[in-house]
Amino acid sequence: MLISLKDVVKIYAPAKEQPVRAINGLSLEVPRGDFVAILGRSGAGKTTLLNLMAGLTRPTSGEVLVESANLWSLGDREQSRLRNRKIGFVFQFPSLLPSLTALENVALPNTFGKRLAGDEARVRAGQLLEMVGLTDKRNAFPRHLSAGQQQRVVVARALMNQPDILLADEATSNLDEQTEQEIMTLFQQIHAETGVTIVMVVHSSYLVRYATRSIQMANGKILSGD
Amino acid sequence: MNLFQLALRNISRNAFRSWTIFLCAFYISGFALAMMLIVHGAEQSLDLANQRLGADILVVPNGSEQKVETSLLMGNPTNVWMPREVVEKIARLPEVESISPQLYLATLTNAACCSVSNMFVIAFDPQTDFTITPWLEQRLGRALNPGEAIGGMYVFTPPGEEGIKIYGTFVRLMGNLEPTGTGLDRALFISFDTAYDIARNSRTRAVEPLQIPDNSISAALIRVRRGNAAQIVSMKIEQQIPEVTAIDSPELFLSYRNQINGLAEIVWMVLAIALVLSIAIVDLIFTMAVNARRREIAVLRALGSTRRSIFFSLLAEANLLAFGGGMAGLALSALAVYLFRNLLVSSLQMPFLLPSLPELVFVLAIGILVVLAAVSISVLPPALAASRREPALAMRE
Ligand SMILES: Nc1ncnc2c1ncn2[C@@H]1O[C@H](COP(=O)(O)OP(=O)(O)OP(=O)(O)O)[C@@H](O)[C@H]1O
Ligand SMILES: [Mg+2]
């Protein structure tokens, strides 16, 4: 199993506020090669679930395993390396580094892992930009790109280190329908071509058709899954 | 793209933050170096002047110690006299190894008699002298002949003339002493014989003759026999000969030393306050900058950057700025001190000597290290906090 969550509970306890059970005893297995769509109302715990899968937040109880390695028994260095090599991220918010060009942003994950030499990294980043249709924007800074173009750069960046898992959080919610369709098709194509496992939070049920499987969440639990 | 380049990009992006750190480092290091050079230069100058006199005790007429010290340090001549018999009296003391009298003379201001106006001229007694003579033996291989002179570092023969004219008599400059940063650098040294010759000739050659009172001297330099404390010997001299003041060498230029130490204390205090303030400012600015970049840092963590590398790249950013600012401050201040050294001497009324190159390099290295340490201290808390923050939490803000 590529990702497994066992009885995971995540309680946020902000100062001076009621604690929130964002994830409430959730278990889930994602086999290699799946394209899972996650649905749920705002506050259902979708983002928290993705963050747990990547080790970006520590579960209050329960276990998160990636390729049978318990994320929280790893030290920061191993955990970071795992994130760097195995997981690609598409965030809910704009996440390109403003001081880097599109190409540099795409190549960024290689900086932390150093699997490719500088030239090779640039070549690969260039190929990825070509794949997302932005060859002509390789030297543009994020502020000169449209929202859809930025998101495509983010997708290219997520693929830079050839990850096993692609985690995408409402990658298309800020985009118009046409662009949304383009990006979703892009994910589908990537899934078909590379076999990467995708876990994607989607904001409406009509996007489920791009995935191979969908999960409905509410109150930090899985309501149904097929 | 590597972490270093990433740091450079961030520096150019956050101009306000960058300039603040740069300027803090610039001002602190520049000010610190300038002050250190001045204080150190003055102290070294005093030490060298002491060495140049080479005496354990300086004996001057009662009440004239301030005048004499000022002359020696600032180079404006003085006119003090005491009976010559003082020398014999002191020489009789068993603790005194050698004693050598000196005459302090002066050329006139704006007078045709002399090439250099208001020059401090020191006449020494070649028979007993232990200050100039060793230098003469080493460099000239012989004593000065009548009509010859040795100058401080900045004494020169006017172009086109055969010598330096003093009360109508030309003396030939035979060499220059090493610089001390004091008035001694502008003083002229001649033998007693030459001095008396000039005085005699001046009655016919100059409008105003050079007056040397009969059987009088201006000062006497004393070497104490081994095993005797200069302080005790000078007390004894003052007891036996009430008309003189005996200054043992640690006490020499004491008022100047106190003045310098006073200045140094104020300078260090101001610097300490400025340093603490800068650390606080840089800490605040950096905390703000890091907060504004919370999300970005969280993204970097999600892409696989370790806590360690986040921490060190933030530290590197701050240190790069501090290094740049510090170097610029040090360079500019070293240059300013060098260019305005003469102005410094005249406005501070203190002797001053530039440090040697190795000394300067050493001080610069220390300065940079202090600046880097201070900046590291200021950015340590925010950098540590930023690297430890849970990425998922940081992304929400
Ligand atoms: N850092 C936090 N501190 C306090 N509460 C939090 C924190 N993060 C999330 N929560 C709470 O946990 C619950 C789940 O949040 P999460 O962001 O996972 O929801 P979501 O399903 O992604 O919602 P959306 O569709 O709006 O993005 C919400 O009630 C939210 O308010
Ligand atoms: Mg969300």
Side-chain angles (χ1 to χ4, degrees):
Chain A
M1 204 51 58
L2 190 56
I3 309 171
S4 3
L5 282 79
K6 293 179 184 164
D7 289 325
V8 173
V9 175
K10 176 69 191 183
I11 301 172
Y12 291 109
K16 294 182 210 146
E17 278 176 55
Q18 284 286 92
V20 183
R21 270 181 179 263
I23 299 292
N24 195 1
L26 181 148
S27 295
L28 173 67
E29 304 220 306
V30 181
R32 196 177 284 277
D34 260 19
F35 186 161
V36 186
I38 299 178
L39 277 161
R41 294 181 51 179
S42 181
K46 306 178 297 291
T47 298
T48 306
L49 179 63
L50 285 195
N51 285 338
L52 283 164
M53 287 178 176
L56 294 180
T57 190
R58 187 191 275 271
T60 310
S61 68
E63 283 182 356
V64 182
L65 306 164
V66 173
E67 280 189 327
S68 1
N70 185 337
L71 279 186
W72 293 95
S73 63
L74 302 175
D76 179 58
R77 189 196 288 252
E78 289 82 30
Q79 212 195 56
S80 299
R81 181 160 47 205
L82 184 142
R83 261 200 296 276
N84 182 248
R85 303 222 163 146
K86 300 213 148 74
I87 302 176
F89 253 104
V90 180
F91 300 94
Q92 201 170 358
F93 54 88
S95 65
L96 293 176
L97 263 62
S99 54
L100 304 188
T101 63
L103 190 84
E104 288 164 345
N105 262 294
V106 173
L108 193 57
N110 186 62
T111 306
F112 307 120
K114 287 275 158 55
R115 284 206 277 194
L116 302 177
D119 292 342
E120 293 174 75
R122 263 192 298 281
V123 170
R124 168 147 179 86
Q127 288 166 348
L128 288 167
L129 277 180
E130 191 185 338
M131 187 189 80
V132 299
L134 286 175
T135 304
D136 54 330
K137 299 286 184 192
R138 45 190 292 148
N139 294 322
F141 284 94
R143 62 180 176 282
H144 298 133
L145 298 175
S146 71
Q149 288 169 334
Q150 285 186 33
Q151 207 60 330
R152 279 195 249 183
V153 176
V154 173
V155 173
R157 181 178 70 185
L159 295 171
M160 178 69 193
N161 282 356
Q162 295 179 286
D164 296 326
I165 307 163
L166 199 55
L167 300 177
D169 195 358
E170 302 194 33
T172 61
S173 57
N174 295 322
L175 306 176
D176 61 89
E177 247 172 79
Q178 171 98 34
T179 316
E180 176 170 67
Q181 229 171 53
E182 281 172 23
I183 300 263
M184 289 309 290
T185 313
L186 180 63
F187 273 108
Q188 221 172 17
Q189 176 198 337
I190 290 164
H191 180 247
E193 283 172 10
T194 66
V196 66
T197 306
I198 302 179
V199 179
M200 175 184 266
V201 173
V202 294
H203 61 94
S204 44
S205 49
Y206 68 85
L207 294 173
V208 166
R209 64 190 157 95
Y210 293 96
T212 57
R213 178 185 160 197
S214 75
I215 288 171
Q216 182 79 34
M217 278 186 77
N219 300 321
K221 285 187 168 153
I222 293 173
L223 274 190
S224 66
D226 58 305
Chain B
M1 180 69 37
N2 56 36
L3 285 176
F4 178 74
Q5 288 168 308
L6 207 59
L8 283 181
R9 292 288 177 90
N10 280 322
I11 285 171
S12 57
R13 183 158 57 108
N14 194 334
F16 174 67
R17 192 276 321 259
S18 298
W19 277 110
T20 307
I21 298 181
F22 184 91
L23 287 177
C24 276
F26 178 84
Y27 285 124
I28 294 270
S29 63
F31 181 67
L33 179 69
M35 288 305 139
M36 226 154 107
L37 288 179
I38 290 170
V39 168
H40 181 74
E43 277 172 351
Q44 205 181 14
S45 219
L46 292 182
D47 289 346
L48 275 174
N50 244 341
Q51 262 178 40
R52 170 62 45 81
L53 293 176
D56 298 322
I57 299 172
L58 176 68
V59 175
V60 296
N62 226 342
S64 68
E65 56 269 27
Q66 193 69 47
K67 267 167 132 183
V68 170
E69 283 186 357
T70 308
S71 300
L72 293 175
L73 290 186
M74 303 315 295
N76 23 25
T78 179
N79 222 308
V80 296
W81 300 104
M82 58 186 174
R84 198 185 170 129
E85 71 208 38
V86 164
V87 175
E88 280 79 57
K89 283 190 197 165
I90 295 173
R92 277 200 290 274
L93 292 175
E95 295 90 345
V96 171
E97 183 179 277
S98 47
I99 176 164
S100 179
Q102 293 193 334
L103 310 175
Y104 292 163
L105 311 170
T107 62
L108 296 172
T109 313
N110 301 325
C113 74
C114 313
S115 320
V116 184
S117 74
N118 210 28
M119 181 161 67
F120 189 20
V121 181
I122 299 176
F124 60 94
D125 175 13
Q127 242 94 68
T128 54
D129 173 73
F130 50 81
T131 325
I132 307 295
T133 307
W135 188 91
L136 285 174
E137 273 162 11
Q138 206 186 1
R139 297 298 175 89
L140 210 58
R142 62 171 173 82
L144 287 182
N145 291 327
E148 291 180 342
I150 287 293
M153 182 65 196
Y154 302 126
V155 174
F156 61 93
T157 308
E161 311 233 335
E162 53 189 293
I164 299 173
K165 196 159 81 166
I166 302 175
Y167 290 90
T169 303
F170 282 99
V171 294
R172 280 191 48 199
L173 186 64
M174 303 306 291
N176 291 87
L177 299 163
E178 283 85 22
T180 61
T182 65
L184 292 174
D185 293 347
R186 267 164 285 129
L188 190 73
F189 296 86
I190 54 178
S191 68
F192 268 24
D193 291 345
T194 309
Y196 287 118
D197 280 351
I198 293 172
R200 201 173 317 114
N201 294 337
S202 72
R203 283 178 223 139
T204 52
R205 289 188 197 164
V207 180
E208 207 175 317
L210 171 63
Q211 306 277 9
I212 304 178
D214 285 343
N215 292 319
S216 294
I217 58 166
S218 303
L221 301 172
I222 294 174
R223 272 210 176 142
V224 170
R225 232 178 264 286
R226 261 173 167 282
N228 290 290
Q231 197 188 358
I232 294 173
V233 178
S234 49
M235 271 160 55
K236 201 166 165 187
I237 292 171
E238 284 184 357
Q239 254 170 22
Q240 300 202 353
I241 312 158
E243 64 260 49
V244 303
T245 299
I247 315 161
D248 57 291
S249 105
E251 298 268 315
L252 192 59
F253 311 131
L254 195 63
S255 60
Y256 278 87
R257 279 186 202 280
N258 287 339
Q259 211 176 324
I260 292 167
N261 289 341
L263 177 71
E265 258 170 47
I266 295 170
V267 163
W268 290 129
M269 225 151 67
V270 170
L271 258 179
I273 294 169
L275 196 66
V276 168
L277 267 178
S278 298
I279 289 180
I281 292 172
V282 169
D283 176 74
L284 184 75
I285 299 283
F286 211 77
T287 303
M288 281 164 52
V290 164
N291 269 337
R293 258 161 60 195
R294 270 177 179 217
R295 255 200 185 165
E296 184 180 315
I297 291 168
V299 168
L300 292 177
R301 297 272 286 123
L303 297 181
S305 172
T306 58
R307 279 188 206 146
R308 239 179 102 86
S309 75
I310 295 284
F311 174 74
F312 281 112
S313 68
L314 289 174
L315 216 61
E317 247 177 81
N319 275 293
L320 274 173
L321 287 166
F323 186 76
M327 280 310 237
L330 291 176
L332 220 67
S333 125
L335 189 72
V337 169
Y338 176 75
L339 289 178
F340 299 116
R341 60 192 184 281
N342 293 329
L343 195 70
L344 272 176
V345 172
S346 60
S347 64
L348 288 177
Q349 281 298 302
M350 268 192 192
F352 175 71
L353 193 66
L354 282 173
S356 67
L357 196 63
E359 273 175 326
L360 184 65
V361 169
F362 178 73
V363 171
L364 291 181
I366 296 279
I368 273 294
L369 285 181
V370 168
V371 166
L372 293 186
V375 159
S376 297
I377 290 171
S378 354
V379 304
L380 205 67
L384 212 56
S387 66
R388 295 232 170 122
R389 196 168 286 134
E390 192 178 88
L393 288 184
M395 282 175 189
R396 273 177 65 91
E397 285 151 17

